[in-house]
Amino acid sequence: MITEKDVSYVADLANLELSAQERERMLRDLNSILDYIDRLNKLDTTNVPPMAQTPLNTADAMRQDALRPSLPRELALGNAPDSDGQFFRVPKVIEK
């Protein structure tokens, strides 16, 4: 089971500031996920063949690779709030 200390530790690693309400919700959600995984681990899957892909939408996964034109740089940078003409410029995110 996940504890509130675990949630705070992971939030610090991810550089997230969580309110008390958000920490409580995260604790509940993570424990719910682990409970569900525990339920899945109890299922008997001995007669279930392993699969690499789901049978649905395999046509998209098996399409031929084809060379297609990319978006022109000028068009891609056209709506950028800040660029140097070649690249997007973004503010620094990590300050540690």
Side-chain angles (χ1 to χ4, degrees):
M1 297 301 272
I2 302 290
T3 65
E4 192 168 335
K5 183 179 176 182
D6 296 327
V7 171
S8 295
Y9 177 71
V10 172
D12 287 341
L13 288 176
N15 203 20
L16 297 175
E17 293 181 19
L18 299 177
S19 68
Q21 183 181 6
E22 290 170 324
R23 281 195 307 272
E24 183 180 317
R25 192 182 86 221
M26 189 67 64
L27 178 66
R28 185 180 61 247
D29 290 350
L30 290 172
N31 279 321
S32 175
I33 291 167
L34 291 178
D35 287 342
Y36 190 73
I37 290 171
D38 191 40
R39 287 176 50 200
L40 291 176
N41 283 333
K42 292 177 183 175
L43 292 175
D44 180 17
T45 59
T46 54
N47 293 325
V48 178
M51 294 175 36
Q53 293 177 313
T54 61
L56 300 175
N57 296 327
T58 54
D60 291 335
M62 300 304 213
R63 68 172 170 76
Q64 293 292 320
D65 287 338
L67 184 61
R68 298 185 295 187
S70 63
L71 189 63
R73 179 177 291 151
E74 297 79 26
L75 187 59
L77 294 174
N79 289 327
D82 191 13
S83 78
D84 66 359
Q86 277 196 303
F87 302 103
F88 293 101
R89 296 186 73 179
V90 296
K92 185 176 180 179
V93 177
I94 300 174
E95 296 180 6
K96 282 192 172 182

